[in-house]
Amino acid sequence: MDVNFRKIDIDQYDEDVLQEEELYEADPRDPAQVLNDAKAKVGAVRNALSKGDTVGAINLVLDGTPVGPNVEEAKNLNLQTLTSILNSTKASEIPAIVRSLSQDAQDTLMKYLYKGMALPGWGEVSGSVLLGWHEKLTEVAGTGCIVRAMTDRRTV
Amino acid sequence: MAAPQVLPLPHGQIPITSHAFNADRSQVAVSLNSNDVTIFHRQGQEWAAGETLSEHDKLITSIDWAPNSNRIVTSSQDRNAYVWSLTPDPQTGTTIWKPTLVLLRINRAATFVRWSPNEDKFAVASGARAIAICSFDPEGDWWVSRLLKKPIRSTVLSLDWHPNNVLLAAGSADMKARVLSAYIKDVDKRPAPTVWGEKLPFNTICGEYTSPSGGWVHSVGFSPSGDVLAFTSHDSTISIVYPAHGPNAIHTIKLTHLPLVTLTWTREDEIIAAGHDCQPFVFRGGEAGWELAGTLDDNKHAGGGSTGVGGGRGFGAAGAGAGASPVGRLSSAAFTTFRNADTRGFASMASSPTSPGGSGGLPSAGGGGESEIFTLHQNTITEVRVYEGVPGDVRKVSTSGVDGKLVVWDVANVSPLGAAGLSGKLGGMHIR
């Protein structure tokens, strides 16, 4: 069956297209400011990790995450900061950490896990770590958390 | 505290898209995933198929049966709505359901329809970013519509009327639940002021709400008093709005389950909502906060063999493939398990595809057939509606599902949620 018709952009014939930006409230911060915030977190997270405060480090990264368009650099930086925490956490500690997070933080963490798994090449590097976190997070936050990670237009 | 009752409708396991009972609950109109409405009537303990309402030429999306005027309204993907009324047949003298076409003036599918409380209007939601408010024009002897368009940006998925017959709640795929005025000058008296507003000309926007994580708004509902609005969206949340309490005070409960697609209020402090998790959840609360109180399903319906669920359908291909040439992962047990879980909600067929020969397909359908999910409904619940009681004191609700079941539940029969203890968290309040 010919399925190419599905790839036609029918929106171009519509004068009144629903824009992506209309579907969520944009981050009020300036993109440069967002990047600065993300950079500032790197040091703070390292500081918290050196004290053994993994929960504090995770909450730092998951608070005020860069979302929306024009902040790709900050998004990637934040993902790398988060991955450094995920990679350095012992598997036995994950359940307790996940439970201590707020529901909002759990949803954001799930978004980052999916983002990490979707990036080309990341599967080999930290695939098993991400899957381990995904398993524990799903046990605590359920399928609803996954649905929110997929539904939310505020992509990380 | 009666156990849930599955109505023995004689249509097998064809999905029920929508259902509506008549006033005394002796008949039920259902859309069996097709362009016909089938009316079943009670015969003692049994139910028998009666008249079929055939006029639409695409899937019927929604049905509503007005209890007092005994008229049925249907909406369909063919962009039409019909009002059906019982009329004597001039040839035979028997009464039949006669359709009247409604001039909706929409160019996309009609997705949802509801009579207003006074039954003198009805509202049709549509994919044309509009809601048609229809009222009867006695001079022209037809139903005319006025369109609510602004500020809707996408398909409208659900509607609910306020008890005052004027205000209308709408849930839309543009992530918003809205409260709008559907005041029609020739039909309505001037409504008394409500918490939603005082002056309410047609298309007044009284409120616009969204959950923090967005998602299509699948269902909306006014509380019995009309002072509170609840909506569920595809981010697995239910939100309860108190317009009278501060600037847009909203309680949002994030569920650990799959999204809810339908809801109904049973009391001013209780909501029943259901959807992709196949069971009706009970939410209780008030101005101070809301919580998930439990479920009407005791989750003890493991392998209800009686449902049988056409064991063979969908497995045939797997069996044939395994027999002919066991190609890599396509014949692996894990693949089959996932595929069965995906297509039928089943997970016990792993060993089946090894059936010798595999020529015919149907791998031991009788042996397997055990259900993976423990809920009474074996698939998504499409609609929950009031079955018994009055607004504010509803005692029973009915649910229809993609599994073809129509179930009546006693709302007092609430089971606590499972062991995980994940649920029942208080919804955090957020102020926009």
Side-chain angles (χ1 to χ4, degrees):
Chain A
M1 196 175 83
D2 184 14
V3 293
N4 281 335
F5 71 91
R6 292 186 184 278
K7 294 184 178 147
I8 300 171
D9 176 18
I10 56 167
D11 282 347
Q12 66 178 313
Y13 304 107
D14 192 339
E15 289 164 10
D16 186 26
V17 179
L18 179 63
Q19 300 295 331
E20 179 76 20
E21 305 86 67
E22 297 176 55
L23 295 176
Y24 61 91
E25 280 177 41
D27 193 332
R29 292 176 294 177
D30 182 70
Q33 176 68 35
V34 174
L35 184 58
N36 281 338
D37 289 356
K39 280 178 180 160
K41 273 185 200 167
V42 179
V45 164
R46 200 176 295 140
N47 211 353
L49 279 183
S50 66
K51 288 185 218 148
D53 180 13
T54 316
V55 175
I58 286 198
N59 275 320
L60 271 174
V61 182
L62 298 182
D63 186 41
T65 47
V67 294
N70 308 325
V71 289
E72 285 308 315
E73 200 183 343
K75 284 182 176 183
N76 285 330
L77 181 62
N78 220 39
L79 175 63
Q80 277 163 15
T81 317
L82 178 67
T83 322
S84 69
I85 307 173
L86 301 186
N87 282 332
S88 63
T89 308
K90 287 200 202 86
S92 55
E93 293 170 3
I94 297 176
I97 294 171
V98 168
R99 262 194 298 275
S100 73
L101 297 175
S102 71
Q103 274 194 312
D104 287 341
Q106 288 172 348
D107 292 353
T108 313
L109 177 59
M110 189 62 93
K111 288 188 205 169
Y112 276 108
L113 295 180
Y114 275 100
K115 179 175 177 137
M117 288 191 272
L119 287 178
W122 278 55
E124 288 92 59
V125 184
S126 40
S128 64
V129 175
L130 295 177
L131 279 173
W133 278 85
H134 182 271
E135 182 192 353
K136 300 300 176 208
L137 182 53
T138 309
E139 278 172 16
V140 174
T143 45
C145 181
I146 300 175
V147 170
R148 279 186 286 280
M150 294 182 188
T151 309
D152 202 336
R153 297 292 176 126
R154 297 171 298 176
T155 52
V156 295
Chain B
M1 296 284 275
Q5 181 200 0
V6 182
L7 300 191
L9 300 185
H11 69 286
Q13 287 138 11
I14 307 165
I16 300 179
T17 317
S18 175
H19 78 278
F21 282 93
N22 68 344
D24 66 5
R25 307 301 189 235
S26 62
Q27 297 181 66
V28 61
V30 296
S31 155
L32 297 174
N33 207 22
S34 75
N35 47 6
D36 291 333
V37 170
T38 310
I39 298 180
F40 294 106
H41 54 272
R42 200 189 283 273
Q43 283 185 335
Q45 292 298 306
E46 299 296 309
W47 287 76
E51 207 171 328
T52 299
L53 313 186
S54 307
E55 200 66 37
H56 288 289
D57 55 20
K58 284 205 166 53
L59 180 80
I60 289 169
T61 49
S62 183
I63 307 172
D64 201 22
W65 197 325
N68 299 316
S69 54
N70 199 33
R71 288 178 301 204
I72 297 173
V73 61
T74 54
S75 67
S76 157
Q77 290 177 355
D78 65 8
R79 301 170 299 180
N80 286 325
Y82 287 97
V83 174
W84 307 77
S85 35
L86 273 177
T87 322
D89 187 330
Q91 274 135 38
T92 61
T94 55
T95 54
I96 52 164
W97 288 101
K98 188 170 152 283
T100 313
L101 178 65
V102 183
L103 219 58
L104 288 182
R105 300 186 293 133
I106 53 173
N107 57 3
R108 294 284 188 278
T111 52
F112 200 86
V113 63
R114 282 293 179 269
W115 286 103
S116 72
N118 296 352
E119 303 178 14
D120 48 7
K121 297 189 287 190
F122 58 88
V124 184
S126 86
R129 300 171 181 170
I131 304 163
I133 308 298
C134 305
S135 57
F136 193 70
D137 169 19
E139 282 176 30
D141 191 29
W142 60 358
W143 292 86
V144 293
S145 72
R146 291 191 68 187
L147 295 184
L148 286 171
K149 277 190 162 165
K150 275 199 242 180
I152 301 163
R153 299 292 291 135
S154 187
T155 301
V156 180
L157 301 166
S158 58
L159 301 168
D160 192 44
W161 284 96
H162 189 278
N164 73 0
N165 209 53
V166 167
L167 290 169
L168 185 71
S172 164
D174 60 13
M175 325 287 193
K176 289 201 169 65
R178 298 186 175 88
V179 175
L180 305 141
S181 166
Y183 176 79
I184 301 284
K185 201 172 65 185
D186 299 335
V187 177
D188 291 306
K189 291 194 204 74
R190 226 178 122 86
T194 68
V195 293
W196 302 99
E198 291 178 10
K199 293 185 89 177
L200 301 166
F202 189 76
N203 212 349
T204 308
I205 299 131
C206 305
E208 210 173 48
Y209 311 98
T210 184
S211 81
S213 35
W216 293 12
V217 178
H218 286 299
S219 70
V220 286
F222 282 110
S223 72
S225 69
D227 290 346
V228 190
L229 177 78
F231 64 94
T232 66
S233 47
H234 199 76
D235 55 350
S236 281
T237 62
I238 180 167
S239 302
I240 296 101
V241 183
Y242 284 85
H245 294 263
N248 296 332
I250 309 179
H251 301 282
T252 297
I253 304 177
K254 291 188 172 190
L255 295 180
T256 56
H257 305 85
L258 296 176
L260 304 165
V261 298
T262 173
L263 73 86
T264 189
W265 289 76
T266 50
R267 300 193 310 252
E268 194 65 28
D269 60 355
E270 188 177 86
I271 299 168
I272 311 275
H276 295 295
D277 228 79
C278 312
Q279 53 183 320
F281 292 108
V282 182
F283 297 90
R284 290 195 186 128
E287 293 157 26
W290 279 75
E291 63 177 343
L292 177 54
T295 165
L296 295 184
D297 194 315
D298 59 9
N299 280 272
K300 284 174 187 160
H301 303 277
S306 61
T307 58
V309 195
R313 223 172 82 194
F315 307 143
S325 65
V327 194
R329 66 186 179 90
L330 284 181
S331 67
S332 77
F335 179 81
T336 317
T337 307
F338 279 122
R339 215 247 297 266
N340 290 346
D342 176 46
T343 55
R344 305 295 295 161
F346 277 21
S348 62
M349 307 298 286
S351 61
S352 309
T354 55
S355 58
S359 52
L362 308 197
S364 63
E370 198 157 293
S371 152
E372 187 199 13
I373 52 176
F374 301 107
T375 49
L376 185 50
H377 273 291
Q378 291 291 298
N379 210 326
T380 298
I381 294 174
T382 52
E383 200 166 33
V384 53
R385 306 194 71 158
V386 170
Y387 182 79
E388 191 184 301
V390 293
D393 183 23
V394 172
R395 291 186 300 279
K396 287 183 177 174
V397 295
S398 58
T399 58
S400 58
V402 178
D403 59 354
K405 285 198 176 110
L406 184 60
V407 184
V408 175
W409 309 80
D410 186 336
V411 300
N413 200 359
V414 181
S415 308
L417 275 151
L422 311 168
S423 319
K425 287 181 180 168
L426 269 175
M429 183 172 231
H430 66 270
I431 307 282
R432 278 198 312 165

